[in-house]
């Protein structure tokens, strides 16, 4: 048997959008197969068909040479296929442990599940409190929980094919290495891993083969010995290759946004942000970096935008906004959330999502013709791929949803707080986001809060390391030493 997974002639349409067009995709037994493509290329749609979430309009799926017709993910799991989604799909009101009850053929006691989960967390170095409800978790911790869930399903029922959708996002370098090591262990055991990613260098480092999708079609399949980074970039983006950009803005002396002695408690009354102070100048992009589960970024962000009470002072353009509501802070602060699907959009149309903020602030008398013209200009300027303004926002790809949020938030207010804005996005979209953050900085300032060192290094002027809720050290990005930054992130400075 040459292939463990065979998908032939797969097509899928959503309304007028052709997501997949006659796609052939094959996975060998015991290989790590990278599925590459820019946002909206069709990668996740193809894997959702393999996992039983979607039914193809046409085409055939075979597992171990046998044609299958999965009606749900449960059928796929029984056949030995499991998928870890890019954005965790968990029940927020349940605890981490309760969310780990696996899909399967028999009841498993929580005591056994917890023991297995704790062993996996220790092995991977995951910092998870399984007895807390998932709504208290940050996105990084929810991703960790999804990985733990996959490993439990593997231990209980055996996985032949593990589909990882952007598995290395939200994780620390140590945790990323553990994930890669687990992929390689699966390969050694004769199991297969499908690795959906936009990260071309990482894919070329760990994959045995790659398939490249562009606009719903296969444009390239490469063996490891044929990997060539620039060629794959051209396949993914139709000729686009990312380039290093030089900063073209001036950082002035005027302080636009200042935080003084900020202390914040979590929902259990524990102090998670401790006496944090920083000041951001006009024209500056200020980075705050912390490792997942170790920094306190989520609690800090909630305090800055007004979702959580805090002690201390927050000053925007000279005005004390500490006691302002989230809505009142919108006078000064725009916000890009970490989880764009959950907090960045709602279930309305692109038009409704795009103009929501202005509608709330615009009073009762609105020129809807002008609003529509403005939205059309934003769709064009931000290159949002959509059939029309009435298209449901939730049906857009991740990259287009992020472009929608950027169009709504960038340049409209003096300060922009961006929380991991580039997570899970392709190189072209990340480059576009960087340009828009630069544009915002020229009009005011940006606070970029992240788990990812690479996300902040390329664009920030200063970077502050956050460890256990404290800003332990601030660095000039032009003179930073990686060794010092890594020590600060684990509290060794």
């Amino acid at each position: 048997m040459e292939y463990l997974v065979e998908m032939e002639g797969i097509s899928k349409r959503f309304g007028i959008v052709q997501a997949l067009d006659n796609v052939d995709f094959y996975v060998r037994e015991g290989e790590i197969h990278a599925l590459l493509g820019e946002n909206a290329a069709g990668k996740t749609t193809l894997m959702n068909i393999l996992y039983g979430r979607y039914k193809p309009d046409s085409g055939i799926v075979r597992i171990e040479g046998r044609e299958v017709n999965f009606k749900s993910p449960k059928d796929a799991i029984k056949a030995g296929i499991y998928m870890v989604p890019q954005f965790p799909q968990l029940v927020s009101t349940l605890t981490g442990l309760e969310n780990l009850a696996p899909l399967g053929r028999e009841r498993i006691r929580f005591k056994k599940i917890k023991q297995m989960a704790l062993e996996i967390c220790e092995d991977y170095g995951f910092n998870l409190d399984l007895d807390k409800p998932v709504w208290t978790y940050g996105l990084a911790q929810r991703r960790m929980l999804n990985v733990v869930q996959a490993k439990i399903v593997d231990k209980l029922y055996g996985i032949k094919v593990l589909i990882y959708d952007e598995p290395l996002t939200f994780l620390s370098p140590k945790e990323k290495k553990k994930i890669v090591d687990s992929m390689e262990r699966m390969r050694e055991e004769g199991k297969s891993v499908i690795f959906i990613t936009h990260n071309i260098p990482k894919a070329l480092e760990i994959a045995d083969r790659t398939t490249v999708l562009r606009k719903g079609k296969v444009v390239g399949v490469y063996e490891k010995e044929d990997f060539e980074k620039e060629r794959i970039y051209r396949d993914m983006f139709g000729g686009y290759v990312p380039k290093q950009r030089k900063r073209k803005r001036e950082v002035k002396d005027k302080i636009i946004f200042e935080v003084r002695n900020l202390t914040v408690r979590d929902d259990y009354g524990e102090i998670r942000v401790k006496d944090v102070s920083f000041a951001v100048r006009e024209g500056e992009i200020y980075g705050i970096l912390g490792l997942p589960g170790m920094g306190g970024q989520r609690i800090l962000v909630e305090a800055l935008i007004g979702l959580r009470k805090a002690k201390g002072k927050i000053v925007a353009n000279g005005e004390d906004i500490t006691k302002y509501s989230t809505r009142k802070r919108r006078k000064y602060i725009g916000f890009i959330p970490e989880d764009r699907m959950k907090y960045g959009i709602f279930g309305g149309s692109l038009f409704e999502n795009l103009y929501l903020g202005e509608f709330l602030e615009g009073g009762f008398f609105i020129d809807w013709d002008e609003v529509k013209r403005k939205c059309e200009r934003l769709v064009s300027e931000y290159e949002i791929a959509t059939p029309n303004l009435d298209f449901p926002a939730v049906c857009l790809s991740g990259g287009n949803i992020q472009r929608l949020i950027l169009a709504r938030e960038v340049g409209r207010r003096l300060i922009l707080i961006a929380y991991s804005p580039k997570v899970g996005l392709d190189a072209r979209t990340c480059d576009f986001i960087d340009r828009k953050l630069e544009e915002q900085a020229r009009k005011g300032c940006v606070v970029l809060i992240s788990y990812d060192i690479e996300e902040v290094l390329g664009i920030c002027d200063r970077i502050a390391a956050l460890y256990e809720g404290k800003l332990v050290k601030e660095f000039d990005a032009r003179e930073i030493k990686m060794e010092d930054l890594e020590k600060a992130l684990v509290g060794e400075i």
Side-chain angles (χ1 to χ4, degrees):
M1 181 184 63
E2 186 178 1
Y3 296 112
L4 178 61
V5 175
E6 300 170 82
M7 303 181 75
E8 295 179 346
I10 302 295
S11 294
K12 181 67 178 176
R13 178 184 288 271
F14 296 98
I16 64 173
V17 177
Q18 186 72 50
L20 295 170
D21 187 2
N22 198 33
V23 168
D24 294 338
F25 179 71
Y26 304 95
V27 179
R28 296 178 184 137
E29 187 175 346
E31 78 168 352
I32 298 175
H33 194 120
L35 183 56
L36 295 167
E38 64 179 321
N39 293 112
K43 306 179 301 299
T44 301
T45 300
L46 183 65
M47 289 302 99
N48 276 326
I49 289 172
L50 177 59
Y51 193 47
R53 279 206 180 99
Y54 296 156
K55 189 175 180 63
D57 297 333
S58 61
I60 295 171
V61 179
R62 297 188 191 92
I63 307 296
E64 296 181 309
R66 181 175 58 88
E67 187 174 335
V68 296
N69 183 20
F70 298 145
K71 292 181 173 59
S72 72
K74 189 171 184 177
D75 291 341
I77 291 169
K78 287 179 179 178
I81 298 169
Y82 193 81
M83 183 172 179
V84 180
Q86 179 180 355
F87 287 94
Q89 297 167 355
L90 302 165
V91 182
S92 60
T93 54
L94 299 181
T95 66
L97 177 59
E98 289 165 340
N99 271 277
L100 289 176
L103 296 167
R105 308 162 198 150
E106 57 182 280
R107 284 190 171 184
I108 306 295
R109 291 184 179 179
F110 277 179
K111 187 176 181 181
K112 182 177 179 180
I113 293 293
K114 187 170 186 177
Q115 181 183 350
M116 294 170 71
L118 291 173
E119 289 172 359
I120 293 166
C121 286
E122 184 177 356
D123 184 31
Y124 281 78
F126 289 168
N127 182 18
L128 286 176
D129 187 337
L130 297 174
D131 294 320
K132 285 187 176 180
V134 165
W135 62 263
T136 65
Y137 288 14
L139 193 51
Q141 291 170 306
R142 281 182 272 148
R143 162 46 65 92
M144 294 174 196
L145 192 65
N146 263 172
V147 173
V148 172
Q149 191 174 43
K151 302 311 292 182
I152 289 175
V153 171
D154 186 25
K155 286 188 174 187
L156 291 175
Y157 310 118
I159 293 175
K160 297 174 185 175
V161 181
L162 179 61
I163 305 165
Y164 263 135
D165 195 347
E166 294 290 351
L168 305 182
T169 54
F170 315 118
L171 302 177
S172 69
K174 182 179 178 182
E175 291 157 353
K176 289 177 182 178
K177 185 178 184 306
K178 288 281 188 179
I179 295 292
V180 172
D181 288 346
S182 75
M183 291 185 195
E184 292 173 346
R185 281 203 302 269
M186 289 188 72
R187 176 174 57 192
E188 290 168 4
E189 294 166 0
K191 300 174 182 179
S192 301
V193 178
I194 302 172
F195 173 31
I196 305 173
T197 187
H198 308 100
N199 188 331
I200 293 176
K202 182 57 70 175
L204 301 189
E205 177 188 333
I206 68 175
D208 302 299
R209 259 186 337 137
T210 68
T211 295
V212 184
L213 292 181
R214 178 153 52 93
K215 296 181 179 178
K217 296 182 179 181
V218 174
V219 292
V221 180
Y222 300 101
E223 302 287 345
K224 194 171 187 71
E225 58 268 22
D226 298 323
F227 289 172
E228 184 184 326
K229 187 164 69 172
E230 288 199 0
R231 183 179 179 183
I232 292 176
Y233 268 119
R234 287 193 295 271
D235 281 350
M236 279 179 64
F237 303 113
Y240 168 84
V241 177
K243 298 178 181 177
Q244 191 73 27
R245 289 179 298 103
K246 293 183 179 179
R247 191 180 75 187
K248 296 180 180 178
R249 56 187 163 77
E250 178 187 359
V251 177
K252 301 179 181 178
D253 292 332
K254 182 181 177 182
I255 293 175
I256 297 291
F257 188 59
E258 187 173 8
V259 173
R260 303 173 192 161
N261 308 113
L262 199 71
T263 297
V264 193
R265 295 180 182 272
D266 66 12
D267 299 289
Y268 295 90
E270 297 178 25
I271 294 175
R272 294 299 184 189
V273 174
K274 306 169 186 176
D275 199 31
V276 164
S277 298
F278 62 89
V280 188
R281 296 168 292 177
E282 184 177 355
E284 185 174 28
I285 299 178
Y286 186 87
I288 298 177
L289 180 66
L291 296 179
M294 297 174 67
Q297 295 98 309
R298 181 176 63 87
I299 301 294
L300 174 61
V301 167
E302 289 174 356
L304 294 180
I305 65 174
L307 290 177
R308 190 175 292 274
K309 290 182 179 180
K311 291 183 179 179
K313 188 171 284 191
I314 302 171
V315 180
N317 201 32
E319 184 174 345
D320 186 349
I321 64 169
T322 312
K323 295 183 180 180
Y324 285 9
S325 66
T326 300
R327 183 169 177 178
K328 197 171 180 181
R329 292 186 195 199
R330 293 280 293 172
K331 174 183 175 182
Y332 292 111
I333 298 174
F335 177 55
I336 300 173
E338 174 192 34
D339 189 339
R340 50 185 169 267
M341 294 297 295
K342 188 172 182 180
Y343 301 114
I345 59 171
F346 69 100
S349 67
L350 186 154
F351 173 79
E352 291 165 328
N353 275 273
L354 195 55
Y355 213 73
L356 174 66
E358 303 307 319
F359 177 76
L360 290 173
E361 297 163 12
F364 294 103
F365 302 104
I366 296 174
D367 183 344
W368 289 109
D369 289 336
E370 176 57 29
V371 168
K372 186 175 180 181
R373 285 192 292 271
K374 186 172 183 180
C375 286
E376 287 171 344
R377 287 197 299 271
L378 288 172
V379 167
S380 176
E381 178 187 345
Y382 283 79
E383 301 172 15
I384 302 170
T386 178
N388 50 60
L389 290 176
D390 295 323
F391 193 72
V394 294
C395 293
L396 294 170
S397 70
N400 283 305
I401 288 172
Q402 197 70 328
R403 288 171 184 266
L404 185 163
I405 296 168
L406 286 164
R408 191 177 64 210
E409 301 297 323
V410 168
R412 298 194 179 191
R413 291 162 188 87
L414 198 60
I415 301 153
L416 179 68
I417 296 175
Y419 187 14
S420 294
K422 295 186 283 186
V423 68
L425 300 176
D426 63 58
R428 177 154 50 186
T429 304
C430 289
D431 184 61
F432 181 86
I433 290 171
D434 280 347
R435 283 188 275 121
K436 288 302 177 182
L437 294 181
E438 293 269 6
E439 181 183 307
Q440 167 68 41
R442 287 192 287 271
K443 296 178 180 179
C445 70
V446 175
V447 180
L448 175 57
I449 300 172
S450 180
Y451 306 105
D452 190 341
I453 292 175
E454 292 179 7
E455 185 171 36
V456 300
L457 276 181
I459 191 170
C460 292
D461 302 289
R462 287 182 294 154
I463 299 169
L466 188 67
Y467 175 69
E468 293 187 347
K470 295 181 179 179
L471 289 185
V472 294
K473 190 171 178 63
E474 189 177 271
F475 300 88
D476 185 325
R478 292 168 297 184
E479 301 171 357
I480 197 166
K481 293 181 180 179
M482 283 300 300
E483 183 182 354
D484 292 341
L485 177 58
E486 289 170 356
K487 285 182 178 179
L489 291 172
V490 294
E492 293 180 3
I493 289 183

